Amino acid sequence: MKKIKHTVLVLFSIITLSCDGDTINNVKEACDETPSSQYLVSVRNVDYAQIGTRHLNNPVNHNIDICNQHFAANTTAGHQFNLATNEVSDVLGSKLNFTRTWTGNPHKNSFDLFPSNPTSSIFDYLDVSTPMPNRCSLPNDLTFAMRTCRFDTSGGGTNYFTIMVKSTSYNHFLDPTYTNHPTKHGILHELAHAYGMNHTPNWNSADKHYISTMQGNLTNLSALDVSYLRNNYSENTINHRNYVASTLTRFNYTKGIFWKQNPKAYYIDSNGNLKDCKTKASPEFFTAWFNTGNIDGENELCGLNRLFLREKTVAENTIEIKTWRIETMPYLSQDQWKGQVDVNISDTSGINYNSEWELVFQVNAWNILDETTADDNEVVMDIILNETVCSKK
């Protein structure tokens, strides 16, 4: 059985004792609201066969040989691979987990990416300047940055796979010290192909409004992704909840990315009002979140989400945007919120406009609800905060 990282349980009465007056008022006002269930959906009744097949035949301790030349464990590139594989391995109620081997794995040539008698799966660059095998649409189709090839199959499932990263898509290939390399959300998408998931156009139409790593740009697995893993790699688990902030939204079946949908630059006008530099109006925000646990949320507690601006070097310096009460979430569900927010800052004298700022979306704010881990409760993007007028920094 997989271990949980830590347990968080904080009662509302304790929360209020440690907050300043403004925070107490924000929390009280939000908890007095009637939560919205407009976008709340369960993801338990999906067509798993349409979402994906060809599951891994050896899901327990499935080993991946990693190119040590480009993705060494102590590098930022290797760290991104670790984050992605850990995200899958840590799913409670799923027996699928990955192990990783770097030792003795130099960069492979194109043909060695697909050995005739594999003993492990592979993660490496595909050097497109060299001859390539006639496999997995190679060499004719090179329209990808990363591609997963389930090249060793049997019994309708997958024994081993290769995730190949196209050498010309990242300058990291030429110099492993470069930071332009695959990141967690892209690797997470390819791993999902490896354990069976298909792209969303192949899904049943009724399932296409669910958020998934198969849409790309998702940093943490969604409720649908976790539901898929538990359905196809089921194992006994403890009862738990886990609230997760999403980097994607799916309003009206349309994919939105957190750092593209939400404003990147703001200014505070002479009356203390926060404005979007692009629209010159009050900013509009888009958010989504999940309960990826296997038990329902707590009806008797007031679960809160929060949007705010945070000074990166002085984390306690924040500008509150919105705190709102969320509807109680059943297990394996997703919810969303969008809206334009009027924000007035009565005293702007303490704001450091020369500092770096970020927009933070936080689920289960102040840890009121009981969950297994709070490590995935924030989504953050860099923003620009201007005084009075917008300018490039």
Side-chain angles (χ1 to χ4, degrees), residues 2 24 31-32 52 58 96 120 127-128 140 147 150 158 168 194 201 207 210 219 224 229 238 241 250 277 342 350 352:
K2 298 178 183 180
I24 293 173
C31 284
D32 287 339
N58 49 347
L96 172 60
S120 288
D127 187 349
V128 296
N140 299 318
R147 177 182 289 166
R150 295 176 282 190
T158 300
T168 54
D207 297 330
Y210 298 131
T219 302
L224 183 280
L229 285 167
I238 62 169
R241 303 178 190 88
R250 199 102 175 131
C277 281
D342 296 324
N352 183 359

Side-chain angles (χ1 to χ4, degrees), residues 36-69:
S36 170
S37 59
Q38 180 180 2
Y39 299 109
L40 176 63
V41 291
S42 166
V43 303
R44 300 196 294 271
N45 299 313
V46 297
D47 188 343
Y48 294 106
Q50 290 293 317
I51 290 174
T53 54
R54 290 179 62 184
H55 310 117
L56 288 173
N57 291 326
N58 49 347
V60 179
N61 297 327
H62 188 99
N63 192 60
I64 305 175
D65 287 344
I66 305 161
C67 172
N68 189 60
Q69 178 179 334

